[in-house]
Amino acid sequence: MSAAPTPGRTGPRRALTQDQIVSAALTLLDASGPSAASIRGIAAKVGVAPNAVYTYFPDKAAVVKGVVERLLGEVDHTASGDDAGSWRDRVAALAVELRRALLAHPGAVPLMIGGPMDGPHALALNERLLELLADAGLDPADAARAAYLLIVYAFGSIAMEVADQHGVAPMPPEQDRIAARLDAFAAIPATHLPRTAAAASVMAGYVSEAQYVWGLHRVLDGISPG
Amino acid sequence: MSAAPTPGRTGPRRALTQDQIVSAALTLLDASGPSAASIRGIAAKVGVAPNAVYTYFPDKAAVVKGVVERLLGEVDHTASGDDAGSWRDRVAALAVELRRALLAHPGAVPLMIGGPMDGPHALALNERLLELLADAGLDPADAARAAYLLIVYAFGSIAMEVADQHGVAPMPPEQDRIAARLDAFAAIPATHLPRTAAAASVMAGYVSEAQYVWGLHRVLDGISPG
DNA sequence: TACAGTATTTGTACGGTGTGCAAACAGTGT
DNA sequence: ACACTGTTTGCACACCGTACAAATACTGTA
């Protein structure tokens, strides 16, 4: 991901950068969903033969990793700064910001769950959470466990929200998605699934920031010290 | 998924059933990871031309849905029966059983996050959770929200645990996976990420039943009424 | 028993995928 | 001017999902 020109080397200058390739992949992902981010499509987008991509990345998985890292880099950590209130408020702000950043590129979300998130920005997010949870008074081991719980909740929630749209890009407005779910739930047989049928209107609203924040606060309740 | 022979119809008898195809897909998934579950591979496994699969399923996505449903059907709900103690114990037993069932087929886990889980077994799981949470004293709306929180936690946790292995099948033993993570974390720069570096040993244990249960109990703490 | 009708299966084919290999090319240091 | 090296390309391979038409196997009816 570094664009260092490596001054003393021979051969022709590179026509591209890794960032340009990642950007092209993300553009295709946003425009046409997860299946559109093919090596051939990316290469065409940046005006190069498909094989040229392999000069910059060893394989497609590496490109995907680059896209994931890019997205995690777009998470604004200042929203959880020291002037943002209590540690709870700051964790909540970071979680909401994470959801915003990821839902801005729904086509890329399924790619995150495909492999481990161990890049620099993923680690930075982890470090930030550890700081916030240390401020909360948790000892380091509990802070780490709690940080992972928060990460699992956030990514799980966002992934399931995107999965509900099964890869349609871009993400329709929340109200439309909720309305569509409500329609689908109308077919639930109340005889066999009485509680599910009765809860249909609440379940329709699963894919919303409100549910995300509600669940987040239950998790925060659970990890609060004392 | 029904094997009804439909007695009064013409044409040759089917050579297969939907269940056989789903079984073949699952076998391939278990043996060789997510990429092995191709239509062609499945067809070869059941001894039929690739196109024949399309007599039983409209497209590959439907086969995948069948696999997901099969897996959810393998979740043993009796582990959370009325004689299993408090509502917390029963929810925990169900969650642990869900993890067991899914980690038995790690290659299939990424497929679950690819689309909405709205099949009969998924709804039955939801219904069971609603029952357990009603027993806990939650009103229907909160029970539904809490059920979704639990589902998000369980599937998010399991999906991330599988992702950490990036599709290797079968799942290595927990100790091996934790040891491998610990090795990887040794490269974390303590200067820029002091808390993460210090927490490496805890973070290595993220992919364990112990962490899963710990987080589960924090969630249960958060949703407990009163 | 012969026939018509239909559901199943297959052969073939199309356009797509990731990516390996060898040749062509472009730029730098000597 | 030349050798060297990294970049890019053309071509090819094996594989993918799946559409289409032909062949096949079975049932209900005449």
Side-chain angles (χ1 to χ4, degrees):
Chain A
M1 215 62 63
S2 69
T6 316
R9 66 151 192 65
T10 75
R13 290 180 197 114
R14 292 189 161 187
L16 305 169
T17 64
Q18 290 188 111
D19 278 346
Q20 279 177 279
I21 292 170
V22 169
S23 294
L26 199 45
T27 302
L28 288 170
L29 243 12
D30 290 343
S32 315
S35 64
S38 67
I39 292 288
R40 293 172 135 91
I42 294 166
K45 189 97 189 170
V46 295
V48 103
N51 321 359
V53 174
Y54 291 90
T55 305
Y56 301 87
F57 294 94
D59 51 28
K60 185 181 180 178
V63 180
V64 166
K65 262 192 138 172
V67 171
V68 170
E69 267 297 295
R70 164 75 66 85
L71 247 62
L72 292 178
E74 286 180 4
V75 176
D76 182 6
H77 287 217
T78 66
S80 65
D82 293 340
D83 56 347
S86 69
W87 70 271
R88 272 185 78 117
D89 290 344
R90 283 180 283 157
V91 170
L94 181 58
V96 169
E97 162 62 13
L98 177 64
R99 177 174 179 270
R100 185 209 58 76
L102 299 192
L103 287 192
H105 304 279
V109 169
L111 306 178
M112 301 204 186
I113 319 295
M117 292 186 300
D118 48 11
H121 286 122
L123 292 174
L125 182 65
N126 188 69
E127 183 79 9
R128 183 88 191 96
L129 277 173
L130 291 180
E131 287 171 13
L132 293 171
L133 293 170
D135 286 354
L138 273 67
D139 71 80
D142 273 350
R145 283 187 270 263
Y148 187 63
L149 170 54
L150 285 164
I151 287 170
V152 161
Y153 173 70
F155 282 97
S157 194
I158 294 162
M160 289 190 65
E161 194 165 343
V162 171
D164 193 61
Q165 293 298 117
H166 64 282
V168 170
M171 210 77 169
E174 222 170 73
Q175 301 98 320
D176 295 6
R177 292 188 274 131
I178 293 173
R181 284 172 60 89
L182 197 52
D183 283 358
F185 286 148
I188 293 179
T191 49
H192 297 102
L193 302 166
R195 295 177 193 274
T196 303
S201 68
V202 179
M203 291 172 59
Y206 282 173
V207 291
S208 66
E209 181 171 316
Q211 166 78 28
Y212 180 75
V213 169
W214 184 92
L216 178 64
H217 278 104
R218 297 295 75 70
V219 170
L220 290 170
D221 288 346
I223 65 180
S224 290
Chain B
M1 214 59 61
S2 70
T6 319
R9 63 151 194 67
T10 72
R13 291 182 196 111
R14 293 187 162 189
L16 305 169
T17 64
Q18 290 188 110
D19 277 346
Q20 281 176 278
I21 292 170
V22 169
S23 295
L26 201 44
T27 302
L28 289 170
L29 243 12
D30 290 342
S32 316
S35 65
S38 67
I39 293 288
R40 292 172 135 92
I42 294 167
K45 189 99 192 170
V46 295
V48 102
N51 322 358
V53 174
Y54 290 91
T55 307
Y56 301 86
F57 294 94
D59 52 27
K60 184 181 180 178
V63 180
V64 167
K65 262 191 135 168
V67 171
V68 170
E69 267 298 294
R70 164 76 66 87
L71 247 61
L72 292 178
E74 285 180 4
V75 176
D76 182 6
H77 287 216
T78 66
S80 65
D82 293 342
D83 56 346
S86 69
W87 70 269
R88 272 184 78 117
D89 290 343
R90 284 182 282 156
V91 170
L94 181 58
V96 168
E97 162 63 12
L98 177 65
R99 177 173 179 272
R100 185 208 58 76
L102 298 192
L103 287 193
H105 304 279
V109 169
L111 305 177
M112 301 203 184
I113 318 295
M117 292 186 299
D118 47 12
H121 285 124
L123 292 174
L125 182 66
N126 187 68
E127 183 79 9
R128 184 86 192 98
L129 277 173
L130 292 180
E131 288 171 14
L132 293 171
L133 294 170
D135 286 354
L138 273 66
D139 70 79
D142 273 350
R145 282 187 270 262
Y148 187 63
L149 170 54
L150 285 165
I151 288 170
V152 161
Y153 173 69
F155 282 96
S157 194
I158 294 161
M160 288 189 65
E161 195 164 345
V162 172
D164 193 61
Q165 291 300 115
H166 65 281
V168 170
M171 210 77 168
E174 220 170 74
Q175 300 98 318
D176 296 6
R177 293 188 274 129
I178 292 172
R181 285 170 59 88
L182 197 52
D183 282 358
F185 286 148
I188 293 179
T191 49
H192 297 102
L193 302 167
R195 295 178 193 276
T196 302
S201 69
V202 179
M203 290 172 59
Y206 281 173
V207 291
S208 67
E209 181 169 317
Q211 166 78 28
Y212 180 76
V213 170
W214 184 91
L216 179 63
H217 278 105
R218 296 295 76 70
V219 170
L220 290 170
D221 288 345
I223 65 179
S224 291

